[in-house]
Amino acid sequence: MAGINYSERIPNNVNLSENRRLQRALEEWQPKFLDWWMDMGPTGYQEKDVYLRTAVSVDAQGWAQFDYVKMPDYRWGLFLAEAEPGRTIGFGDHLGAPAWPDVPGEYRGVLRRLIVTQGDTEPASVEQQRHLGRTCPSLYDLRNLFQINVEEGRHLWAMVYLLDAYFGRDGREESEALLQRHSGDRDKPRILRAFNEKTPDWLSYLMFTYFTDRDGKYQLASLAESGFDPLSRTCRFMLTEEAHHLFVGETGIGRVVQRTCELMRQGKTDDVRRLGGLDLATLQKYINFHYSVSLDLFGSEVSTNAANFYTMGLKGRFEEAKKRDDHRLKDATYTVSELDGDRITTRETPALPSLNERLRDDYIADCQRGVDRWNQIITKHGIDRELRLPHRGFHRALGLFGEVKVSPDGRILSEAEWDTKKHEWLPTETDQAYLESLMQPVTERGRFASWIAPPARGVNGQPVDFEYVRLA
Ligand code: BYC
């Protein structure tokens, strides 16, 4: 079961050929996916050979193989982590019951919605990133972008498999709709707000892969706890792919910080724009933007949806099995933020409806770890400056903080104060124009744009100046 069957039209480890109906449904969807990929996927490089990683088996040892592939020939397929014999549901009302191999009838609608919401983000991110190839800072970065794009495409396949295999006609309709909504489309936008924002430049992309992909990690990890076993297994395998996306974000921003510090020292100035770099103040603004937009992806602080997902056994907590409590949480409480006039305080609330906030807390702690590592780079250069995550209430559109304006240091502001200050905290048109001016493609082997340092090592043991994308 660990090995993947690549001899079939749709590579899989789910014995697809034994389920003719499903095979037909997916084979009908496949050309539509490819049309979408050609129309909405990476522009300009579809005919080029890219040094890509493809999954060849889902077990821990060597599931990946690297080779030159043209992106439309990438073998998108259906890969589930191996089944855990005797797996039981780890939380909620069904705690201890055998995990469901099929969808429980009474949860059908809720589960479908969760899967559709997850699935919708995957093609959305490919659409958001489609023009970046034209302005790549190096072949190494270009290759990583395409790796992420094909894997997000595969994550879409993962959700479409669940919809088609377990939700009948409704599921097939949802699979079609996943290709019809588009990021930023006025009539048919993507479901979650962050996936309708633009990713117009490489700094935004690196921030997106650090902050927004990290929401993916936390949501997928919660869904990997699901009592619906096929969802759990597919999310477990998706998480192994996700790790690379987070690596690209963290090391990418680390390399920008590195380069900024080098330029600050060389020029003995904070104003590294004169030297073709990205000043720390601009980096801070992009952190503020992408972090705050990603915080919204966790939903409201208090949510009956979240309580229901948990009680029903559909979506657990991050690392549910490691938590030492009753895994039902009916009598437990959790601390969430509260507004008290013009002050932000906290209060104890029932734990079940606070699950979004708890997941957001796990996420915030994880975000902070990377920021600490970037700050170490700054310190190593002897520079007395620090990057920070803004307050969780800053620039939020949803939940408690959607109703107020909050400064990065957590003070509630009047609209007027916000309007005069927001340009100091969020990217302005001038910042965007400067970034755009930096976005000149660098495609010579081993060369890097002026604003980003080379990586510490190449991909899969290859040198940094390897021909990661063959442009000739
Ligand atoms: N934008 O009770 P509430 C990834 C809606 S990223 C717009 O507060 P709930 C990836 C909500 O649907 C991971 N609408 O929230 C990353 C609800 O609508 P209804 C994606 C929003 O339901 C990078 C209403 O507001 N996966 O994989 O507890 C690249 C009240 O909602 C938003 C998932 O999200 C928003 N931000 O939780 C590629 C996992 N937030 O019911 C990929 C699946 C909420 O009033 N989804 N709403 O019509 C979920 O678990 C939940 O749907 C959410 C929301 C956590 C998103």
Side-chain angles (χ1 to χ4, degrees):
M1 210 32 188
I4 290 170
N5 188 346
Y6 270 92
S7 64
E8 293 181 31
R9 208 165 118 192
I10 301 170
N12 70 90
N13 69 349
V14 296
N15 292 331
L16 188 58
S17 58
E18 285 169 23
N19 184 345
R20 293 280 170 202
R21 238 181 107 131
L22 174 62
Q23 190 175 28
R24 250 200 325 275
L26 288 167
E27 286 183 358
E28 263 173 43
W29 187 81
Q30 191 176 36
K32 296 176 192 160
F33 168 82
L34 275 175
D35 285 349
W36 166 82
W37 178 267
M38 297 309 286
D39 288 349
M40 302 302 291
T43 51
Y45 292 87
Q46 302 279 9
E47 294 307 312
K48 305 296 180 201
D49 287 319
V50 186
Y51 187 66
L52 289 180
R53 164 179 89 163
T54 304
V56 285
S57 117
V58 293
D59 51 19
Q61 293 90 33
W63 61 269
Q65 173 186 301
F66 287 79
D67 207 349
Y68 284 104
V69 179
K70 291 185 182 30
M71 283 185 277
D73 298 334
Y74 185 78
R75 301 299 312 275
W76 286 284
L78 313 171
F79 315 131
L80 270 58
E82 294 207 60
E84 278 174 31
R87 177 168 178 258
T88 56
I89 299 171
F91 57 93
D93 284 350
H94 304 280
L95 179 71
W100 304 301
D102 223 320
V103 181
E106 67 271 37
Y107 300 152
R108 205 179 162 80
V110 185
L111 198 48
R112 190 185 62 211
R113 197 142 149 245
L114 272 175
I115 293 171
V116 166
T117 308
Q118 177 63 49
D120 192 68
T121 62
E122 316 289 1
S125 69
V126 175
E127 293 169 355
Q128 287 170 296
Q129 296 168 13
R130 62 190 300 249
H131 295 298
L132 290 170
R134 294 191 192 288
T135 55
C136 65
S138 73
L139 287 184
Y140 166 88
D141 291 290
L142 187 61
R143 176 261 166 220
N144 282 345
L145 167 71
F146 293 153
Q147 182 71 55
I148 290 177
N149 292 163
V150 294
E151 286 177 354
E152 300 299 10
R154 207 206 66 72
H155 289 182
L156 170 60
W157 271 92
M159 293 300 119
V160 164
Y161 162 70
L162 294 176
L163 290 169
D164 283 17
Y166 296 96
F167 294 88
R169 194 179 159 161
D170 295 356
R172 288 195 294 279
E173 281 171 13
E174 294 286 9
S175 299
E176 303 270 320
L178 284 168
L179 297 177
Q180 284 158 5
R181 285 186 293 273
H182 297 307
S183 177
D185 190 304
R186 197 183 297 185
D187 300 323
K188 288 190 175 174
R190 291 298 177 182
I191 297 170
L192 301 174
R193 174 178 154 220
F195 294 89
N196 288 304
E197 298 283 350
K198 287 201 163 71
T199 312
D201 57 74
W202 280 75
L203 182 61
S204 300
Y205 154 78
L206 294 173
M207 293 289 173
F208 181 97
T209 49
Y210 186 78
F211 288 111
T212 308
D213 274 278
R214 193 169 306 276
D215 170 50
K217 168 182 163 183
Y218 280 82
Q219 300 295 347
L220 287 173
S222 306
L223 295 173
E225 302 287 345
S226 184
F228 177 45
D229 204 43
L231 175 62
S232 163
R233 289 176 56 200
T234 199
C235 288
R236 267 186 276 148
F237 185 65
M238 287 162 80
L239 279 165
T240 61
E241 292 170 314
E242 199 66 41
H244 172 253
H245 309 181
L246 298 173
F247 164 87
V248 167
E250 186 183 331
T251 56
I253 299 172
R255 288 162 52 211
V256 178
V257 172
Q258 165 86 21
R259 182 69 184 142
T260 300
C261 293
E262 287 165 7
L263 292 173
M264 284 171 81
R265 283 183 47 160
Q266 274 167 30
K268 298 193 173 46
T269 176
D270 286 358
D271 180 16
V272 294
R273 286 194 182 190
R274 284 191 287 123
L275 307 169
L278 276 164
D279 48 299
L280 289 177
T282 303
L283 293 183
Q284 182 64 61
K285 286 182 178 182
Y286 278 77
I287 289 174
N288 293 349
F289 177 79
H290 287 272
Y291 175 65
S292 56
V293 166
S294 303
L295 284 181
D296 274 340
L297 289 171
F298 291 83
S300 310
E301 292 75 6
V302 177
S303 158
T304 31
N305 285 348
N308 290 338
F309 297 155
Y310 189 85
T311 309
M312 293 171 177
L314 305 179
K315 182 179 173 191
R317 285 171 295 176
F318 183 67
E319 298 188 328
E320 181 70 44
K322 290 190 188 164
K323 308 247 187 267
R324 295 227 183 105
D325 53 27
D326 70 355
H327 300 280
R328 289 183 194 268
L329 307 180
K330 301 251 191 232
D331 304 317
T333 59
Y334 194 74
T335 312
V336 300
S337 303
E338 189 174 47
L339 299 179
D340 175 11
D342 60 357
R343 280 183 342 119
I344 299 170
T345 56
T346 56
R347 78 180 151 110
E348 286 296 303
T349 35
L352 281 171
S354 314
L355 284 166
N356 286 342
E357 189 66 353
R358 184 190 289 247
L359 194 62
R360 187 167 17 239
D361 284 342
D362 291 334
Y363 167 85
I364 289 174
D366 199 24
C367 285
Q368 184 61 48
R369 285 190 272 275
V371 175
D372 291 343
R373 284 190 281 268
W374 302 332
N375 282 331
Q376 279 167 16
I377 300 174
I378 302 178
T379 310
K380 258 193 217 143
H381 283 81
I383 297 169
D384 184 20
R385 221 48 65 71
E386 195 177 63
L387 295 168
R388 285 193 192 151
L389 295 177
H391 187 273
R392 70 175 67 215
F394 172 77
H395 187 237
R396 293 283 302 282
L398 208 130
L400 182 71
F401 296 112
E403 301 160 19
V404 287
K405 296 284 186 258
V406 178
S407 66
D409 58 3
R411 280 174 302 115
I412 296 186
L413 306 174
S414 68
E415 290 282 339
E417 274 176 295
W418 168 261
D419 283 340
T420 51
K421 293 292 243 182
K422 69 177 180 201
H423 308 292
E424 292 173 26
W425 300 327
L426 290 167
T428 60
E429 278 177 22
T430 317
D431 296 324
Q432 284 165 17
Y434 175 65
L435 256 172
E436 211 173 293
S437 76
L438 281 188
M439 296 296 125
Q440 304 299 331
V442 177
T443 54
E444 270 168 59
R445 284 173 59 168
R447 261 200 62 212
F448 289 80
S450 60
W451 53 272
I452 188 165
R457 56 192 71 83
V459 177
N460 190 35
Q462 301 290 359
V464 169
D465 65 357
F466 185 71
E467 193 175 18
Y468 288 107
V469 183
R470 287 189 181 137
L471 295 178

